[in-house]
Amino acid sequence: MKKLIYKLTALTVLIGFVFSGCRNPAYDINVLFDAAVIQYKATLILSDAAGGTLPTTGITATITGADAASIYDFSGTKAVPVTNGIITLGVTPKDIPTSAKTLSFNVVIAAPGYDTRTIPVSIALNQFGQIIDIPLLKTVVPTPASSVVSTTIPVNAAGATTAPVTFATPSTGNVPQQTAITVPAGVSFKDAAGTTLIGTVTAQAVNFDASDPVALALFPGGDLSAPNVKLADGTTGSAFFYPAGFTDINMYVGGVAVRNFTTPITIGMQLDETFRPQATGQPLAVGNQIGIYSYRDNAFQFETNATVIRDAAGKLAVSFQTNHLTVFIAGDVVKTANCKPTSVTFSAAWMQTATTPLTVQILDPRDNSILDERTVLVKDGGVDIWSGLPPTAYKYRIIWPATGATLSEGSVTNGCDGTAYTITVAAPGTAPVVSVSLMLGVICPGKGIISVPDFDLFYKPAGSTAAYTLLGTVKNGQLRSILLQVGSAYDFRANWGTQTKTVLNKTITSADLSTTVGDGVYLGDKKPTANKALLIEACKN
């Protein structure tokens, strides 16, 4: 598959027409590209899990997995850049999903100073757009949903412990649960090849509050749904996790990761006391059996069943032994191998023809705990595919992000039976909703108006120190939004491949910001000659 751009490649796909301050943002975000080439798209939005700032360079994204060959950057290149913390992926037209084939691949994200994350992504038929929020975690930095401990383990000259060592994550205001690790005397530490490691052992553990919705995105793979789980019955397939607790334990000797021990170590994990086992439906209690799973190399594996106890601190907990290190999860797992996704059509006449990002929460109907939270671009009559959800009844809640107001709520009888639903979304307030149109047409001699590419547009109030947030996706040269206010000024940002276009302090002067550019029509105020050259290149194809 060739690059899906014209002769000027990256320079051409950079926002082509740069307009002066007297023009409007609608005229400032323009790219020359055949918008019909890639129809299926996923946008990954990266952030620092502790609320910090991600590095501006050095973040990489690598596509792996069964259908990796079908995935391109949305700009049309096989290399996938990370620009301003955004990854945009598209499916080559020759490999689009069908009713019999859902595309599956992994996005491996590496950033300096952060844990590498592997995010499984699936794209089903008619799932034309996804927005996936991915927080990146620094192991030694606590977050609102995690606590951290770091220590050293004394060893002798042969690399073995001489006395038992116990260390534990702290109990904090955000994360009251703790995980304690006990390493007995006489333990030696081995790398992935089975070689005994000699030297000072550095140990780190991160404990997550499984009851905190913030922790959902920090779960291995970024989601409670996983494509590769070896279950207690020995079968392997997709499954959905209900975690009562999870912890990530790492040890290093001279920078080399410890993978195994000569003698098992003991892990004591305190649990979410509001957790309800699938077997009983009642709050967690002493004596309940709960599964222990491990996660490594993008795969989950059943380890053992553990009995819930009251530990010395009086908290519900499990204790188990292991001879290897990884992420450990305590909880229930249900199979999803035969799931059919749910198709949702939104009814929201108040949006007129606009599109806006809303938050969709999926809740366990037994206790209203959040099982999934995602951003969805919603429009009246728009269709969204809800996949990766459990084969049980669940509740949904649709939220206006700016205020947290609930615009719709209801229930789905089975998340895996493929039933189609229509969901009515209420307006966020009593004030009239103003739909602002940003539209651009490009005229080619003898061809008429051609399409400009689809791309994500981000915005924030002009001059604000807040992060850019998604305004919507420009499709076929147009975007209609209800998030912009006439008379207000905003900063805008668009990414295309490795290029970024930022437009600062632009005032929305009208609800209809539409224009057509072309030779003899309008070529911009700043660089009309250069823009004419871009038009010539675009119109050749």
Side-chain angles (χ1 to χ4, degrees), residues 179-182 247 249 265-269 318-322 328:
T179 289
I181 299 96
T182 298
T247 187
I249 304 170
I265 67 173
T266 300
I267 298 173
M269 185 190 304
V318 288
S319 179
F320 57 95
Q321 290 189 323
T322 181
F328 293 98

Side-chain angles (χ1 to χ4, degrees), residues 388-415:
L389 296 173
T392 59
Y394 61 78
K395 296 168 64 175
Y396 64 81
R397 182 185 296 145
I398 300 177
I399 296 172
W400 185 252
T403 63
T406 297
L407 306 185
S408 181
E409 55 187 343
S411 60
V412 169
T413 56
N414 187 318

Side-chain angles (χ1 to χ4, degrees), residues 389-453:
L389 296 173
T392 59
Y394 61 78
K395 296 168 64 175
Y396 64 81
R397 182 185 296 145
I398 300 177
I399 296 172
W400 185 252
T403 63
T406 297
L407 306 185
S408 181
E409 55 187 343
S411 60
V412 169
T413 56
N414 187 318
C416 283
D417 65 2
T419 300
Y421 290 82
T422 296
I423 294 177
T424 299
V425 181
T430 58
V433 174
V434 176
S435 175
V436 174
S437 299
L438 309 178
M439 301 178 66
L440 173 72
V442 177
I443 294 179
C444 288
K447 295 182 180 180
I449 296 179
I450 65 171
S451 296
V452 295

Side-chain angles (χ1 to χ4, degrees), residues 82-262:
V82 182
T83 307
N84 299 312
I86 307 297
I87 302 168
T88 52
L89 304 174
V91 178
T92 175
K94 67 183 180 66
D95 293 329
I96 61 174
T98 67
S99 58
K101 170 68 173 177
T102 294
L103 300 184
S104 298
F105 57 94
N106 306 311
V107 185
V108 182
I109 302 165
Y114 291 81
D115 289 348
T116 297
R117 300 205 66 182
T118 300
I119 307 298
V121 179
S122 62
I123 300 179
L125 179 66
N126 297 326
Q127 196 170 17
F128 294 108
Q130 295 183 62
I131 301 165
I132 305 172
D133 294 306
I134 307 296
L136 300 183
L137 183 69
K138 291 182 177 179
T139 300
V140 296
V141 178
T143 74
S146 65
S147 59
V148 177
V149 63
S150 182
T151 189
T152 57
I153 298 175
V155 294
N156 60 21
T161 54
T162 58
V165 175
T166 297
F167 60 98
T169 59
S171 176
T172 68
N174 289 328
V175 186
Q177 304 91 357
Q178 293 179 276
T179 289
I181 299 96
T182 298
V183 181
V187 173
S188 295
F189 304 82
K190 296 179 177 292
D191 64 13
T195 303
T196 299
L197 300 171
I198 308 297
T200 301
V201 179
T202 300
Q204 301 167 347
V206 184
N207 194 55
F208 300 88
D209 181 1
S211 67
D212 190 334
V214 175
L216 293 178
L218 298 174
F219 192 78
D223 195 281
L224 297 183
S225 177
N228 189 14
V229 183
K230 186 174 182 179
L231 299 161
D233 62 8
T235 61
T236 299
S238 61
F240 190 90
F241 281 84
Y242 291 86
F246 63 104
T247 187
D248 185 2
I249 304 170
N250 294 282
M251 297 182 190
Y252 302 91
V253 177
V256 178
V258 173
R259 289 302 185 206
N260 299 284
F261 309 99
T262 54

Side-chain angles (χ1 to χ4, degrees), residues 455-524:
F455 61 93
D456 294 326
L457 185 61
F458 295 80
Y459 82 117
K460 62 183 179 69
S464 169
T465 58
Y468 282 90
T469 57
L470 183 66
L471 179 65
T473 298
V474 178
K475 288 184 172 293
N476 297 321
Q478 58 184 311
L479 184 152
R480 293 183 175 89
S481 176
I482 57 176
L483 299 179
L484 303 176
Q485 300 295 319
V486 175
S488 296
Y490 302 92
D491 298 335
F492 294 88
R493 174 183 284 172
N495 300 326
W496 189 259
T498 60
Q499 307 296 324
T500 300
K501 178 64 177 181
T502 302
V503 181
L504 302 176
N505 195 29
K506 292 296 181 178
T507 301
I508 303 299
T509 59
S510 168
D512 183 9
L513 303 178
S514 306
T515 192
T516 300
V517 296
D519 192 12
V521 181
Y522 176 67
L523 287 171

Side-chain angles (χ1 to χ4, degrees), residues 38-116:
I38 290 180
Q39 296 178 311
Y40 285 83
K41 174 172 171 286
T43 300
L44 281 64
I45 303 176
L46 310 184
S47 63
D48 182 295
T53 301
L54 290 177
T56 56
T57 60
I59 304 178
T60 62
T62 305
I63 310 302
T64 67
D67 296 304
S70 303
I71 306 303
Y72 286 70
D73 180 72
F74 200 61
S75 68
T77 63
K78 192 57 183 168
V80 176
V82 182
T83 307
N84 299 312
I86 307 297
I87 302 168
T88 52
L89 304 174
V91 178
T92 175
K94 67 183 180 66
D95 293 329
I96 61 174
T98 67
S99 58
K101 170 68 173 177
T102 294
L103 300 184
S104 298
F105 57 94
N106 306 311
V107 185
V108 182
I109 302 165
Y114 291 81
D115 289 348
T116 297

Side-chain angles (χ1 to χ4, degrees), residues 152 284 299 338 347 382 458 539:
T152 57
L284 191 65
N338 297 316
S347 176
F458 295 80
C539 293

